[in-house]
Amino acid sequence: MGVNLSEEVQLPFTSYIDAVEWINSLIAFGIRPGLERIERMMESFGNPHRKLKFIHVAGTNGKGSSCAFLSSTLKQCGYDVGMFTSPYITKFTNRFQFNGEDIPEETLLSLANRIAPVAKEIAASELGSPTMFEVSTALAILYFAEVCYPDVVVWETGLGGRMDVTNLVTPIVSLITNVGMDHTDVLGDSLEEIAREKAGIIKPGVPIVSCASQSSVIAVLRETAKEKGSTLYLLGEQFHYERGGLSGRTQSIQFKGPFRAIDLELSMLGKHQCTNAAGAMMVLEILRQYMAFVLEDEQVLAGFQDAFWAGRLEQVSNQPRIVLDGAHNPEGAEALARSLPEAFSYRKLNLMMGMLANKHHREYLEHILPIVDTLILTEPDFRKKMDADSLYQLVDQIRKDMAKADLEVIVERDWKRALALLQARTEREDLGVVTGTLYMISDVRATLLHQTDSEKGW
């Protein structure tokens, strides 16, 4: 592959916007699984990732929320915490956080100027140009290893695990939240195939925690852990939780692990967040029991209660009541359909939805349509968007199969007009929900919260 876009780069970049535009220009190189380019980049900088302690987080759903639980709690316990996640909701700098704060724009600019010549050199080699995610990963490593020096880095995979760029690191503990049908175009067409990709983050001797529930997935995790000589902590076996009640805008769980039991209050709603919290708590217990992390109960409780993740059952408007949730696959839709009636009271549910073209929309819709009164189909402002008319044809077929003749369906391709329609139709006793791809959630959230510095969430 030739140099192409990288040859056009003018060095050095003089502004944050120039640096981010360059990184986003690499989106054209797509997703290219493999570690060769990131390894070459890291070698150029003296392998700085080897200085850091990572908690590696993979899974189909719940990665971001689990990262939030871990980061919030470790910070409350007095540790300096780095966090690398994707995609971002508001601004490119959201991806790289230190103690809950985004990387400063001038720091990102400085690091991009260091990385760009190396990326250009690799682009001219047989490996071809590094991708946007590879450059972002390199930037995160340099930020944590050479600028802010966190005690631990919460490290989210981009896609899968085995061939994901983030798998460059050897963590101190790993977490696989769950495994479902998502990104099948890259990861495989069966749960077992996807599980093997996710299980690729399991490293020799490194403990692995998982909340996976399907027997076929668990079998893959057991087999991989055994091969690697890693201890597997599985929800329902080595650790458990019991869900308590809902109280206002919080819910509680009682966690029971191999070392102790503890009651936690969560501000993030939904049964799926109880599961995410239990997995995160088991990770923390491993750090406390085997790696001498000092995690006092009072700080742990505060960390879980303070944990927040944008765009997950997030109410962003009161009049009308609008909730955002980035459910974009069947498992996410199932969790959303279960959580909305539990967390909110309403007369009618009006739902606005925009999707990407590469997802399992039939199963998604089968989960969500039974609770919806008015469905507004729109299109995200994103290159891989699904055509709203095609989505309508699928909805029309499913609602006939479900004998849901009273479902009102509106097609409005412009998401801004669709949002105005949702707001106008959602009366005081109703609930408006915006769901689907996080790329659209990002735009809607910025609009409703009047965030003028919002960027596109690639």
Side-chain angles (χ1 to χ4, degrees):
M1 188 178 292
V3 179
N4 295 336
L5 288 168
S6 296
E7 273 183 337
E8 298 167 15
V9 173
Q10 298 298 309
L11 292 172
F13 305 119
T14 55
S15 71
Y16 162 77
I17 290 170
D18 288 343
V20 172
E21 281 181 356
W22 167 63
I23 296 169
N24 282 334
S25 77
L26 301 174
I27 288 169
F29 293 104
I31 297 167
R32 296 161 63 203
L35 302 177
E36 303 89 353
R37 287 172 299 279
I38 189 69
E39 286 171 346
R40 181 81 64 89
M41 270 194 281
M42 288 301 99
E43 281 167 14
S44 300
F45 295 110
N47 292 311
H49 57 292
R50 294 179 185 167
K51 303 174 189 173
L52 297 165
K53 292 186 176 74
F54 294 91
I55 299 170
H56 204 176
V57 180
T60 300
N61 293 304
K63 294 191 296 293
S65 299
S66 298
C67 288
F69 283 129
L70 290 165
S71 298
S72 173
T73 305
L74 287 165
K75 180 172 173 284
Q76 278 283 354
C77 291
Y79 290 93
D80 287 329
V81 186
M83 184 168 70
F84 177 57
T85 56
S86 60
Y88 57 92
I89 291 289
T90 305
K91 204 163 183 254
F92 188 80
T93 53
N94 297 165
R95 286 176 176 271
F96 321 90
Q97 295 200 350
F98 177 66
N99 288 338
E101 299 291 330
D102 286 10
I103 184 173
E105 290 184 4
E106 60 273 20
T107 304
L108 188 143
L109 171 61
S110 168
L111 292 174
N113 274 322
R114 288 181 60 195
I115 292 168
V118 174
K120 189 171 181 178
E121 196 178 297
I122 293 169
S125 76
E126 75 288 352
L127 294 176
S129 176
T131 65
M132 181 276 288
F133 191 68
E134 287 165 353
V135 166
S136 299
T137 304
L139 202 151
I141 289 170
L142 287 177
Y143 179 49
F144 298 136
E146 299 185 3
V147 179
C148 57
Y149 312 107
D151 298 309
V152 64
V153 178
V154 178
W155 191 243
E156 183 190 345
T157 57
L159 189 63
R162 183 177 65 91
M163 298 298 284
D164 187 74
V165 182
T166 63
N167 208 26
L168 170 81
V169 310
T170 298
I172 54 174
V173 58
S174 299
L175 170 64
I176 297 174
T177 57
N178 50 51
V179 175
M181 298 297 286
D182 201 359
H183 299 293
T184 52
D185 52 332
V186 177
L187 301 180
D189 289 325
S190 71
L191 280 175
E192 290 84 352
E193 285 178 292
I194 296 170
R196 288 197 188 284
E197 290 301 316
K198 309 277 186 199
I201 72 165
I202 300 175
K203 299 291 197 311
V206 176
I208 173 75
V209 174
S210 183
C211 298
S213 57
Q214 308 97 321
S215 56
S216 59
V217 170
I218 290 168
V220 170
L221 298 180
R222 281 195 212 285
E223 177 192 331
T224 310
K226 188 177 178 183
E227 281 172 12
K228 302 286 186 182
S230 302
T231 305
L232 174 62
Y233 296 85
L234 203 58
L235 178 63
E237 294 189 11
Q238 288 72 28
F239 66 103
H240 308 260
Y241 76 85
E242 287 180 17
R243 194 178 182 198
L246 282 162
S247 174
R249 305 304 296 156
T250 65
Q251 60 179 338
S252 62
I253 67 166
Q254 182 182 51
F255 170 89
K256 296 177 181 175
F259 315 121
R260 65 164 171 171
I262 187 170
D263 293 342
L264 302 171
E265 289 283 328
L266 314 176
S267 297
M268 290 199 275
L269 299 177
K271 183 175 185 291
H272 55 297
Q273 296 296 8
C274 297
T275 304
N276 293 332
M281 188 65 216
M282 188 65 245
V283 168
L284 294 168
E285 283 290 270
I286 290 167
L287 297 181
R288 187 179 72 93
Q289 188 73 14
Y290 295 122
M291 298 172 203
F293 276 62
V294 178
L295 307 173
E296 300 291 351
D297 285 7
E298 191 178 336
Q299 281 76 40
V300 169
L301 297 178
F304 275 90
Q305 190 155 10
D306 289 353
F308 164 77
W309 200 238
R312 308 310 194 274
L313 278 182
E314 181 189 9
Q315 186 172 333
V316 290
S317 167
N318 285 321
Q319 290 184 342
R321 284 188 304 158
I322 305 289
V323 170
L324 308 182
D325 192 89
H328 58 272
N329 53 37
E331 292 77 16
E334 185 179 17
L336 181 61
R338 184 177 59 233
S339 302
L340 282 170
E342 179 185 271
F344 302 94
S345 59
Y346 50 84
R347 181 186 61 185
K348 286 178 62 181
L349 182 71
N350 304 320
L351 188 130
M352 168 180 157
M353 177 178 159
M355 290 297 213
L356 300 190
N358 61 343
K359 303 288 180 179
H360 288 258
H361 301 311
R362 170 172 281 282
E363 296 156 78
Y364 183 104
L365 289 162
E366 286 170 350
H367 285 303
I368 205 73
L369 290 187
I371 68 165
V372 175
D373 295 295
T374 302
L375 179 66
I376 302 172
L377 300 174
T378 190
E379 296 174 2
D381 177 17
F382 190 68
R383 66 194 188 287
K384 293 181 180 177
K385 67 186 178 183
M386 182 167 187
D387 175 78
D389 293 322
S390 302
L391 201 52
Y392 173 78
Q393 290 169 11
L394 188 56
V395 168
D396 199 39
Q397 183 184 344
I398 292 168
R399 77 168 161 179
K400 285 171 184 168
D401 294 343
M402 296 172 78
K404 194 170 168 68
D406 58 339
L407 173 67
E408 184 182 7
V409 185
I410 300 165
V411 176
E412 173 49 73
R413 299 171 71 116
D414 183 317
W415 70 263
K416 290 180 181 174
R417 288 183 191 158
L419 179 59
L421 206 53
L422 179 74
Q423 290 172 301
R425 283 177 161 258
T426 302
E427 297 178 5
R428 182 177 289 276
E429 299 86 4
D430 301 340
L431 185 68
V433 176
V434 182
T435 188
T437 175
L438 284 168
Y439 300 110
M440 186 179 76
I441 298 294
S442 168
D443 284 335
V444 171
R445 188 173 188 271
T447 301
L448 293 176
L449 296 179
H450 310 292
Q451 293 172 328
T452 54
D453 65 344
S454 180
E455 301 167 6
K456 173 58 72 179
W458 306 129

PDB file of all heavy atoms in Angstrom, residues 332-345:
ATOM      1  N   GLY A 332     -27.862  -5.387  23.304  1.00  0.00           N
ATOM      2  CA  GLY A 332     -28.099  -4.033  23.813  1.00  0.00           C
ATOM      3  C   GLY A 332     -29.581  -3.677  23.774  1.00  0.00           C
ATOM      4  O   GLY A 332     -30.115  -3.062  24.704  1.00  0.00           O
ATOM      5  N   ALA A 333     -30.262  -4.078  22.702  1.00  0.00           N
ATOM      6  CA  ALA A 333     -31.707  -3.804  22.577  1.00  0.00           C
ATOM      7  C   ALA A 333     -32.496  -4.557  23.634  1.00  0.00           C
ATOM      8  O   ALA A 333     -33.460  -4.029  24.202  1.00  0.00           O
ATOM      9  CB  ALA A 333     -32.179  -4.200  21.179  1.00  0.00           C
ATOM     10  N   GLU A 334     -32.086  -5.790  23.904  1.00  0.00           N
ATOM     11  CA  GLU A 334     -32.768  -6.584  24.934  1.00  0.00           C
ATOM     12  C   GLU A 334     -32.640  -5.905  26.303  1.00  0.00           C
ATOM     13  O   GLU A 334     -33.605  -5.799  27.064  1.00  0.00           O
ATOM     14  CB  GLU A 334     -32.170  -7.990  24.977  1.00  0.00           C
ATOM     15  CG  GLU A 334     -32.873  -8.931  25.932  1.00  0.00           C
ATOM     16  CD  GLU A 334     -32.269 -10.328  25.925  1.00  0.00           C
ATOM     17  OE1 GLU A 334     -31.131 -10.499  25.433  1.00  0.00           O
ATOM     18  OE2 GLU A 334     -32.936 -11.242  26.428  1.00  0.00           O
ATOM     19  N   ALA A 335     -31.420  -5.428  26.606  1.00  0.00           N
ATOM     20  CA  ALA A 335     -31.189  -4.737  27.882  1.00  0.00           C
ATOM     21  C   ALA A 335     -31.994  -3.439  27.947  1.00  0.00           C
ATOM     22  O   ALA A 335     -32.582  -3.111  28.984  1.00  0.00           O
ATOM     23  CB  ALA A 335     -29.697  -4.446  28.053  1.00  0.00           C
ATOM     24  N   LEU A 336     -32.056  -2.715  26.838  1.00  0.00           N
ATOM     25  CA  LEU A 336     -32.798  -1.452  26.804  1.00  0.00           C
ATOM     26  C   LEU A 336     -34.300  -1.693  26.991  1.00  0.00           C
ATOM     27  O   LEU A 336     -34.965  -0.986  27.757  1.00  0.00           O
ATOM     28  CB  LEU A 336     -32.531  -0.728  25.480  1.00  0.00           C
ATOM     29  CG  LEU A 336     -33.217   0.621  25.278  1.00  0.00           C
ATOM     30  CD1 LEU A 336     -32.784   1.625  26.340  1.00  0.00           C
ATOM     31  CD2 LEU A 336     -32.929   1.164  23.872  1.00  0.00           C
ATOM     32  N   ALA A 337     -34.836  -2.699  26.297  1.00  0.00           N
ATOM     33  CA  ALA A 337     -36.265  -2.998  26.393  1.00  0.00           C
ATOM     34  C   ALA A 337     -36.647  -3.409  27.811  1.00  0.00           C
ATOM     35  O   ALA A 337     -37.756  -3.117  28.278  1.00  0.00           O
ATOM     36  CB  ALA A 337     -36.628  -4.098  25.401  1.00  0.00           C
ATOM     37  N   ARG A 338     -35.746  -4.076  28.499  1.00  0.00           N
ATOM     38  CA  ARG A 338     -36.019  -4.496  29.883  1.00  0.00           C
ATOM     39  C   ARG A 338     -35.876  -3.323  30.845  1.00  0.00           C
ATOM     40  O   ARG A 338     -36.625  -3.195  31.822  1.00  0.00           O
ATOM     41  CB  ARG A 338     -35.029  -5.610  30.257  1.00  0.00           C
ATOM     42  CG  ARG A 338     -35.244  -6.209  31.637  1.00  0.00           C
ATOM     43  CD  ARG A 338     -34.278  -7.343  31.894  1.00  0.00           C
ATOM     44  NE  ARG A 338     -32.897  -6.894  31.785  1.00  0.00           N
ATOM     45  CZ  ARG A 338     -31.982  -7.474  31.022  1.00  0.00           C
ATOM     46  NH1 ARG A 338     -32.283  -8.532  30.295  1.00  0.00           N
ATOM     47  NH2 ARG A 338     -30.745  -7.000  30.978  1.00  0.00           N
ATOM     48  N   SER A 339     -34.917  -2.430  30.577  1.00  0.00           N
ATOM     49  CA  SER A 339     -34.569  -1.375  31.532  1.00  0.00           C
ATOM     50  C   SER A 339     -35.493  -0.165  31.484  1.00  0.00           C
ATOM     51  O   SER A 339     -35.754   0.460  32.515  1.00  0.00           O
ATOM     52  CB  SER A 339     -33.129  -0.909  31.284  1.00  0.00           C
ATOM     53  OG  SER A 339     -32.231  -1.989  31.399  1.00  0.00           O
ATOM     54  N   LEU A 340     -35.990   0.199  30.304  1.00  0.00           N
ATOM     55  CA  LEU A 340     -36.785   1.429  30.194  1.00  0.00           C
ATOM     56  C   LEU A 340     -38.046   1.407  31.064  1.00  0.00           C
ATOM     57  O   LEU A 340     -38.276   2.343  31.837  1.00  0.00           O
ATOM     58  CB  LEU A 340     -37.142   1.698  28.725  1.00  0.00           C
ATOM     59  CG  LEU A 340     -36.027   2.300  27.865  1.00  0.00           C
ATOM     60  CD1 LEU A 340     -36.420   2.285  26.395  1.00  0.00           C
ATOM     61  CD2 LEU A 340     -35.669   3.715  28.321  1.00  0.00           C
ATOM     62  N   PRO A 341     -38.877   0.350  30.990  1.00  0.00           N
ATOM     63  CA  PRO A 341     -40.096   0.355  31.828  1.00  0.00           C
ATOM     64  C   PRO A 341     -39.765   0.271  33.322  1.00  0.00           C
ATOM     65  O   PRO A 341     -40.569   0.696  34.160  1.00  0.00           O
ATOM     66  CB  PRO A 341     -40.840  -0.916  31.379  1.00  0.00           C
ATOM     67  CG  PRO A 341     -40.215  -1.316  30.088  1.00  0.00           C
ATOM     68  CD  PRO A 341     -38.807  -0.841  30.140  1.00  0.00           C
ATOM     69  N   GLU A 342     -38.612  -0.255  33.631  1.00  0.00           N
ATOM     70  CA  GLU A 342     -38.212  -0.400  35.028  1.00  0.00           C
ATOM     71  C   GLU A 342     -37.688   0.925  35.603  1.00  0.00           C
ATOM     72  O   GLU A 342     -37.980   1.289  36.736  1.00  0.00           O
ATOM     73  CB  GLU A 342     -37.115  -1.472  35.091  1.00  0.00           C
ATOM     74  CG  GLU A 342     -36.549  -1.755  36.447  1.00  0.00           C
ATOM     75  CD  GLU A 342     -35.396  -2.738  36.336  1.00  0.00           C
ATOM     76  OE1 GLU A 342     -35.665  -3.939  36.396  1.00  0.00           O
ATOM     77  OE2 GLU A 342     -34.246  -2.299  36.168  1.00  0.00           O
ATOM     78  N   ALA A 343     -36.917   1.646  34.795  1.00  0.00           N
ATOM     79  CA  ALA A 343     -36.250   2.858  35.280  1.00  0.00           C
ATOM     80  C   ALA A 343     -37.096   4.124  35.117  1.00  0.00           C
ATOM     81  O   ALA A 343     -36.863   5.109  35.817  1.00  0.00           O
ATOM     82  CB  ALA A 343     -34.914   3.037  34.552  1.00  0.00           C
ATOM     83  N   PHE A 344     -38.074   4.103  34.202  1.00  0.00           N
ATOM     84  CA  PHE A 344     -38.865   5.304  33.928  1.00  0.00           C
ATOM     85  C   PHE A 344     -40.354   4.947  33.872  1.00  0.00           C
ATOM     86  O   PHE A 344     -40.725   3.886  33.378  1.00  0.00           O
ATOM     87  CB  PHE A 344     -38.458   5.920  32.584  1.00  0.00           C
ATOM     88  CG  PHE A 344     -37.005   6.298  32.498  1.00  0.00           C
ATOM     89  CD1 PHE A 344     -36.075   5.399  31.962  1.00  0.00           C
ATOM     90  CD2 PHE A 344     -36.561   7.522  32.969  1.00  0.00           C
ATOM     91  CE1 PHE A 344     -34.727   5.738  31.889  1.00  0.00           C
ATOM     92  CE2 PHE A 344     -35.219   7.864  32.892  1.00  0.00           C
ATOM     93  CZ  PHE A 344     -34.305   6.970  32.363  1.00  0.00           C
ATOM     94  N   SER A 345     -41.190   5.859  34.355  1.00  0.00           N
ATOM     95  CA  SER A 345     -42.638   5.691  34.180  1.00  0.00           C
ATOM     96  C   SER A 345     -43.064   6.596  33.025  1.00  0.00           C
ATOM     97  O   SER A 345     -42.573   7.718  32.890  1.00  0.00           O
ATOM     98  CB  SER A 345     -43.381   6.060  35.462  1.00  0.00           C
ATOM     99  OG  SER A 345     -43.100   7.404  35.814  1.00  0.00           O
TER     100      SER A 345
END
